[in-house]
Amino acid sequence: EPEVTQTPSHQVTQMGQEVILRCVPISNHLYFYWYRQILGQKVEFLVSFYNNEISEKSEIFDDQFSVERPDGSNFTLKIRSTKLEDSAMYFCASRGRGGDTEAFFGQGTRLTVV
Amino acid sequence: GQNIDQPTEMTATEGAIVQINCTYQTSGFNGLFWYQQHAGEAPTFLSYNVLDGLEEKGRFSSFLSRSKGYSYLLLKELQMKDSASYLCAVNYGGSQGNLIFGKGTKLSVKP
């Protein structure tokens, strides 16, 4: 069964450092997302990406965040200068077509900023 | 603003039936999803409702009333493995499919 894969599964970084979280969405999917979940809290939308551009971003997705689809398979989330409050589980998701289909989530990257 | 409410925790007995409610007020509505999330894992899709009524899928059913901004997830013949968080999520973003999630309901199934 096709799946969304994320690497690394865990990342520990020092405050102020840049991190890049990587995702390989399901191959024929068109819509890509990043969500995050701070420990014990709800899943929060960060950004959606379609047709090689950001289609929507939340208030959380400030100038420290960026996304790229550098080739036909990878979808990355970059945090330029990490803060302690960026510590969370980051989930990548993809969807085949419009909003009436389910989003498939990757297993997540647990980011710990120390 | 966007708001989705669900109970924080529920407890039920193995073999029983449990109903998890969700109410929502969102700027747009293009369907409601239920996801299951085991601790430390990714959400996995359970059901989707866009029209009023009941959708049944094995032991799981989901109901939607758009006029009331209300949905529920019904789990029958509970098993211990059903212990997990159940997330109600609304697609408010049209074709982009952006989801806003509730805080999740942590279900504990006891023997």
Side-chain angles (χ1 to χ4, degrees):
Chain A
E1 185 176 327
E3 60 179 13
V4 177
T5 56
Q6 290 186 242
T7 54
S9 55
H10 294 87
Q11 173 100 42
V12 180
T13 189
Q14 289 200 323
M15 193 168 55
Q17 294 296 303
E18 174 183 289
V19 294
I20 297 176
L21 309 183
R22 302 181 191 280
C23 169
V24 179
I26 295 173
S27 63
N28 60 348
H29 281 189
L30 301 176
Y31 298 84
F32 313 111
Y33 310 86
W34 283 101
Y35 290 85
R36 79 170 186 191
Q37 187 174 33
I38 295 170
L39 187 63
Q41 298 187 25
K42 67 179 180 180
V43 176
E44 300 174 291
F45 167 73
L46 292 179
V47 65
S48 59
F49 194 87
Y50 170 72
N51 201 26
N52 287 318
E53 61 182 18
I54 290 174
S55 47
E56 187 174 345
K57 56 186 180 180
S58 71
E59 295 175 347
I60 303 167
F61 194 89
D62 61 22
D63 292 343
Q64 294 298 316
F65 291 86
S66 62
V67 289
E68 270 192 334
R69 188 156 161 81
D71 52 42
S73 59
N74 291 284
F75 179 51
T76 62
L77 175 69
K78 181 192 290 185
I79 310 175
R80 287 190 188 84
S81 178
T82 50
K83 304 186 284 283
L84 295 177
E85 53 265 37
D86 293 328
S87 295
M89 182 76 99
Y90 287 80
F91 292 109
C92 173
S94 71
R95 170 183 261 123
R97 57 173 202 272
D100 61 342
T101 58
E102 71 267 29
F104 291 83
F105 285 78
Q107 288 303 306
T109 294
R110 180 168 297 286
L111 176 66
T112 302
V113 182
V114 297
Chain B
Q2 320 278 27
N3 193 49
I4 298 179
D5 286 316
Q6 1 176 182
T8 304
E9 292 186 48
M10 297 183 73
T11 302
T13 305
E14 193 175 16
I17 299 173
V18 71
Q19 177 174 312
I20 302 174
N21 296 324
C22 170
T23 57
Y24 63 90
Q25 302 98 36
T26 54
S27 57
F29 181 83
N30 196 32
L32 186 144
F33 295 81
W34 284 96
Y35 280 84
Q36 180 190 62
Q37 186 179 31
H38 286 97
E41 298 184 10
T44 55
F45 170 76
L46 290 177
S47 69
Y48 169 71
N49 295 71
V50 67
L51 300 176
D52 290 352
L54 189 68
E55 294 283 340
E56 297 187 78
K57 190 187 288 188
R59 295 190 298 116
F60 295 78
S61 304
S62 56
F63 171 83
L64 176 68
S65 169
R66 289 172 297 171
S67 62
K68 295 181 180 177
Y70 167 70
S71 173
Y72 67 73
L73 179 69
L74 193 71
L75 293 78
K76 303 175 189 173
E77 300 169 16
L78 281 173
Q79 302 174 9
M80 300 298 289
K81 68 178 182 179
D82 296 329
S83 293
S85 287
Y86 291 85
L87 314 182
C88 174
V90 170
N91 172 11
Y92 68 94
S95 63
Q96 299 304 320
N98 301 339
L99 297 175
I100 181 168
F101 282 83
K103 292 183 179 179
T105 298
K106 186 176 179 182
L107 175 67
S108 298
V109 180
K110 308 282 187 198

